[in-house]
Amino acid sequence: MSRSIYIIEPHPAVRESFFFLVGPLANLTIAGSASSYERAAPELSAVCPDIVLMGLAGANDAPIRALRTACPGAQILVASAFQTGLTPSVAQKAGADVCVSRAHGAPSLLPSLRKLVDRLEARASVRRVDAQVSAVEPRPLRPRGPLDAQTIAQAVPRLD
């Protein structure tokens, strides 16, 4: 099953590199991109991506909080400049699922994306099993042995 990803990155060159990195992943389709959360907001609710890759250079966690509210079901991966930006603990408190360093680039980004895709696949398989279990109709209980007056009298409570 193909999963969708939306890329939010203020720097055009970095955004293009995210396209280049995400493209080879077989289970991800790029659903859209924007230079900021404010520009992405109108489109995000219509697209409902599975994953949002958000590049943040500053220490402001408000875009993560807004994104979590707008897309509660999406997995949020933040690529941050840790020296001048958000730390992983602050990003995760704001609602990010994973926070990686921009300085480490692809070696930290790609495994994190694969981890999020695997997490989505695991959730989908649990939902399929739940749907299969709920689709099974319960069978009526049948008494063992012959069905006679004595068996019926034992099974049905008296209403005296």
Side-chain angles (χ1 to χ4, degrees):
M1 175 184 276
S2 180
R3 299 292 176 179
S4 62
I5 185 168
Y6 195 97
I7 299 172
I8 301 173
E9 169 56 46
H11 305 289
V14 177
R15 193 167 52 246
E16 288 299 318
S17 69
F18 285 162
F19 280 119
F20 178 74
L21 290 172
V22 171
L25 292 176
N27 291 336
L28 289 176
T29 303
I30 298 172
S33 70
S35 60
S36 68
Y37 173 76
E38 292 77 18
R39 291 180 186 251
E43 190 176 23
L44 281 171
S45 60
V47 173
C48 296
D50 296 306
I51 298 172
V52 176
L53 170 57
M54 178 181 275
L56 292 174
N60 184 4
D61 66 353
I64 300 171
R65 292 181 190 283
L67 180 58
R68 178 52 66 210
T69 302
C71 300
Q75 297 287 301
I76 300 173
L77 172 61
V78 173
S80 175
F82 292 158
Q83 296 80 10
T84 60
L86 293 174
T87 62
S89 62
V90 172
Q92 288 174 336
K93 283 180 187 174
D97 294 289
V98 178
C99 185
V100 298
S101 171
R102 293 172 98 163
H104 295 121
S108 65
L109 182 67
L110 291 177
S112 297
L113 279 172
R114 287 191 185 104
K115 183 182 189 182
L116 291 177
V117 170
D118 291 344
R119 193 181 295 171
L120 288 167
E121 293 299 323
R123 285 183 187 171
S125 66
V126 167
R127 280 191 222 115
R128 281 192 297 272
V129 169
D130 286 346
Q132 290 169 353
V133 168
S134 65
V136 174
E137 295 202 21
R139 292 188 225 158
L141 297 176
R142 296 204 170 122
R144 295 182 188 169
L147 187 60
D148 57 8
Q150 183 181 2
T151 307
I152 293 171
Q154 291 173 349
V156 177
R158 297 185 57 96
L159 301 174
D160 295 354

